[in-house]
Structures are given as C-alpha cells and as structure tokens.
Amino acid sequence: MLSRRLAIAVATGAVAALSLGTAAQAAPARHAGHEATLRTLAERPDLLIGTAVDTSALAADAPYRADVASEFSSVTAENVMKWEVVEPARGTYDWSQADQLVSFAQKHGQEVRGHTLLWHNQLPAWLTSGVADGSIDTGELRAILHRHITDEVRHFKGEIYQWDVVNEVFDEDGSYRDSLWLQKLGPSYIADAFKWAHAADPKAKLFMNDYNVEGVNAKSTAYYDLAKKLRAQGVPVQGLGIQGHLDIQYGFPGDVGDNLARFDALGLQTAFTEIDVRMTLPADATKLARQAQDYRRLLDACVAVKGCKSFTVWGFSDKYSWVPGTFTGEGAANIMDENYVRKPAYTALADGLRAAARRTGRH
Ligand code: G3I
C-alpha cells in the first residue's frame, strides 16, 4: 500500500512532478489561480480528499485525468470494482479496468478506496439468475460469496486502504434490507463478509457504507448498534462510510457532528464516501450557494472528529454525474461544471481545508 506519507510527499512535490502525458498540457490554463489544489490543502488537517473515478473518462478525457491527478489524494472506482464487472462470467475474472485505476493512483501518489465487495446492485447476471432458478442453492451461494470476497481482496492486497465491505444493507427504518443476501443467507452474512475480507488483507480498514446515515436517525442508529455488537463479538468492522448524496431541496441533516462523534467513541473510523449535492435544474446562484454550504458543512463535520480521515466526492465534474440519469430534472451536483470550471462548492471546500489547516491538533 502506498503510505499516506508518500501520498503527501508526492502531492507536496507539486503537480509539476505528475506524469500526465497530454493531460499535463491541458492543466495550466484551467489551474490558473488554483495553484493550491484540494489535495495539497488537505495535508495539514491530515485528510485524504477523494473522488469516484469513471475509468472510461479517465482513459478518454485529458482534462478529467489532469484534475483527478492534481486535485485528489484518494480515488474510488465508481463502477469497475463491482462484482458484475470483475466476474462477468462465472469463474472468469476481469480486473483490467480496476488494475488500470490502481496503477494510475500509484503513479500519482494516491490511495485507493475499494468499492464494493457486497451489494444488492450490479451483481453478475449468472449469479442472480442462478439464485432465481434454484441452480445455486444456499450452501453454494455462501461458498460463492466467500470466494468472491477472498479473491477480490487478495487481488488488491496492500493496494486498498479502506474497503466498503457491505454496501446499503439497511432500510430507512433500521431493519435489514430484504436483499438476496438476507433472504438466502440470513443476517450472519454481514459478519462473515468482514471476517473473510480481513483474512484476505488484514491491513485494510473495513467499512460498512450507506446513504441517509449522515445524521442521527433510525438507519444510522442501526449501524451504530450493529457495529457495537459485531465489535463485541470480535468481528473486524473498523468504519462507517457515509455516502453523502444530498439534495438542496431537503434540509441539511442537522446532527452530523453528533453522529460522527458516537462512532468515534466506539473507536471506529468514519469516512464521507460518495458526496454530491444535487438540485432541480437549472442551477442558479442561490442554489449553488446553498450547495456550497452543504459541501462545507460535511467537510467541517469530518475535520471536527478524530476518526474521519477521508472525504470523497462522487465524481467532481457535472460532465459525468450519475444524478441526471436517476433523478429526472435534477443535476449540477458536483464541485465543477461540465467544463471543469470550479463552482462555489469547490471554493467552499478549499476554504474549509484552509480553515482546518489553521486550527491545530486535530490528530
Ligand atoms: O457497463 C454498462 C455498459 O456495458 C453499457 O453499455 C451501459 C449502457 O447503459 O451501461 C453500463 O452500466 C452502467 C454502469 O453505471 C457503468 O457506467 C449502468 O447502466 C448504470 O446503471 C451504472 O450506474 C451506476 C450506479 O451506481 C448503479 O447502481 C453509477 O454509475 C454509479 O455512480 C452508482 O454508484 C452508486 C454507488 O455504487 C453506491 N451508492 C449509490 C451510488 C449512486 O447510485
């Protein structure tokens, strides 16, 4: 694994040291007035600042590539570490796109968040159809899950600093999500997943990850209770990932600080893992100001607690956001627009990192 110290050293060595090929030519104009990037500003509060990466854009879009390299100290695969991508046919692995992202990250002194080992979405068709038609029974399903987690974590052993081991396993009311995993294996699949991941890479920090768990509510309390129970049983759960998919039409979750503090008190890490703040289109100055405020409030909550060590946005440019395809009429959720022009939300994060750097003794 790239040490955090190395990541910081590379970042401090400045963007000039980055080997970006054609991307390097595109960077200076857009970076005029932005000599300090988010990743360099995040060094003092000792925070990794991350983005989800669309690997197709990384391959094809030089300005995108330049910003991934210069602005962030952590990357998350938006899709290419998910099960449907890494094992499209049973027993046939395809790590190619994920490996390319990991080598990009290593070249640019970045850490990699692993996303995600177990989810109810983006499962390979051979698996869901085998369960549906009964050709994969419960015993075999458990063995398949064990092998998937073991093989994927082993493949990236030493290269991933935090894994989202289980993703979105609770409903809003705090009951377990009625997924294929719960239906076939019962709730013990969660503890098993953590034990198997830990056995495959004992140094990676293992996270649960979900949305709508920013503040104190039924869902985040279910996570808290589960984490407490699993840790008492010696299950290697080390963190809660808080996605942070917000929408300015809803109120900002007010007790984020209290929520993070209670996980801190359990000795767990926290991480903001997938932040974006959407709005009804078209964007205007008022909406963008509110969006900036929400990004900043999440950042301030993170730097206020000891255990929050990474802050990841779910893509940084509106050019590649998942939001418009899912929420009709909404978008503009990221910190840069489609042309990589920095929005007020970018400035708010930069200001927040500067303010955090001026304070002392976070860690
Ligand atoms: O890979 C296929 C490609 O072969 C095909 O040609 C193309 C045609 O539409 O689709 C491609 O798959 C798409 C995939 O993204 C990769 O681009 C899927 O249709 C699309 O549904 C998928 O969306 C992703 C979504 O998860 C799936 O649920 C988004 O990009 C990704 O941002 C989103 O991320 C999730 C996190 O993993 C978990 N938390 C919520 C977050 C937002 O939904």
Side-chain angles (χ1 to χ4, degrees), residues 78-79 82 115 119 121-122 167-168 243 245 274 314 322:
E78 185 173 1
N79 286 297
K82 292 172 180 172
H115 177 79
W119 197 20
N121 270 338
Q122 292 180 283
N167 195 41
E168 303 172 3
Q243 293 184 5
H245 293 293
E274 305 185 12
W314 203 241
W322 67 287

Side-chain angles (χ1 to χ4, degrees), residues 52 54 56 76-80 82 84-85 97 115-116 119-122 164 167-168 209-211 243 245 273-274 276 314-315 320-323 326-327:
D54 176 332
S56 305
T76 305
E78 185 173 1
N79 286 297
V80 299
K82 292 172 180 172
E84 71 171 5
V85 177
Q97 297 177 83
H115 177 79
T116 174
W119 197 20
H120 57 277
N121 270 338
Q122 292 180 283
D164 289 334
N167 195 41
E168 303 172 3
N209 188 48
D210 217 318
Y211 57 90
Q243 293 184 5
H245 293 293
T273 55
E274 305 185 12
D276 49 25
W314 203 241
Y320 298 107
S321 171
W322 67 287
V323 169
T326 302
F327 298 95

Side-chain angles (χ1 to χ4, degrees), residues 1 6 18 45 47 55 58 102 122 186 200 225 228 305 311 360:
M1 185 183 310
L6 172 61
L18 299 172
L47 187 67
T55 48
L58 193 71
V102 171
Q122 292 180 283
D225 292 342
K228 199 169 171 181
V305 296
F311 184 91
T360 53

Side-chain angles (χ1 to χ4, degrees), residues 108-139:
H108 297 297
Q110 297 165 314
E111 300 281 1
V112 182
R113 282 200 94 251
H115 177 79
T116 174
L117 297 172
L118 185 154
W119 197 20
H120 57 277
N121 270 338
Q122 292 180 283
L123 291 168
W126 61 262
L127 176 64
T128 48
S129 60
V131 171
D133 68 20
S135 59
I136 296 175
D137 68 14
T138 298

Side-chain angles (χ1 to χ4, degrees), residues 171-172 210-221 223 242-246 250 253 259 278:
D171 278 329
E172 302 307 291
D210 217 318
Y211 57 90
N212 289 348
V213 293
E214 291 75 26
V216 175
N217 56 38
K219 197 174 187 180
S220 63
T221 298
Y223 271 108
I242 300 169
Q243 293 184 5
H245 293 293
L246 302 185
Y250 306 119
N259 191 35
R278 60 189 184 269

